[in-house]
Amino acid sequence: MGVLSEEVREQIRGLFPKYPNKRAVTLPALHLVHDTYRAVSREAIVEIADLLELHPSEVHDTMTFYNFFKDEKNPLGKHRVWFCRSISCALRGGEELFEQICNKYHVHPGEKTGDGKFTVEFAECLGACEGAPCILVNDECHMDMTVESTSKLIDKL
């Protein structure tokens, strides 16, 4: 029995008709596995490669090209909080916001909190410059953030 559940395997197979070939499913499969398990283990890479009829190194190359995916040594916390560090956010206090939140929750960039509830990371740009500084919590963008509003949001997690 592998590390991927049969349900995840079926979801990956369900992607096949949506793409021109199995190789094109590599990135969506990685996202699916990452979202489900909060990391992509070496074993999962091998199983994804088997499903897509690729060599595991091809799946690994795709995974490591993007800074988005975490491996089993550094899994994500339950929630992912991205702090935008574009020029717009920086000019409106985004870097200070990030530093203050990291200090408050005793976490460093790219790490998860001790309780595993969230991981904080930088994003080069979240595309919401009109609402700088902004953060992305899981898949939801929050704009015009302050230390207080960010703390309230994180405390809810």
Side-chain angles (χ1 to χ4, degrees), residues 3-107:
V3 296
L4 300 183
S5 69
E6 190 54 38
E7 179 183 347
V8 169
R9 290 171 174 277
E10 282 304 315
Q11 289 175 325
I12 292 171
R13 287 184 197 107
L15 294 170
F16 294 168
K18 298 177 182 180
Y19 292 88
N21 56 52
K22 288 182 180 181
R23 175 183 298 279
V25 177
T26 306
L27 197 54
L30 284 166
H31 277 290
L32 179 66
V33 170
H34 194 260
D35 290 347
T36 303
Y37 300 105
R38 308 308 285 166
V40 182
S41 67
R42 289 184 184 268
E43 294 85 4
I45 290 171
V46 171
E47 291 179 39
I48 292 168
D50 185 53
L51 286 166
L52 303 182
E53 300 174 4
L54 298 172
H55 191 275
S57 66
E58 295 175 279
V59 176
H60 183 265
D61 286 350
T62 301
M63 179 181 142
T64 57
F65 178 81
Y66 297 96
N67 200 20
F68 183 84
F69 301 107
K70 301 293 183 186
D71 61 22
E72 69 269 26
K73 294 177 186 170
N74 301 299
L76 285 176
K78 184 175 180 183
H79 303 280
R80 192 175 212 172
V81 182
W82 294 89
F83 285 77
C84 184
R85 63 190 230 183
S86 70
I87 188 70
S88 299
C89 286
L91 289 172
R92 296 203 55 209
E95 291 179 10
E96 292 82 5
L97 171 66
F98 183 76
E99 184 177 318
Q100 290 174 347
I101 293 299
C102 285
N103 288 336
K104 178 177 179 177
Y105 293 97
H106 310 290
V107 64

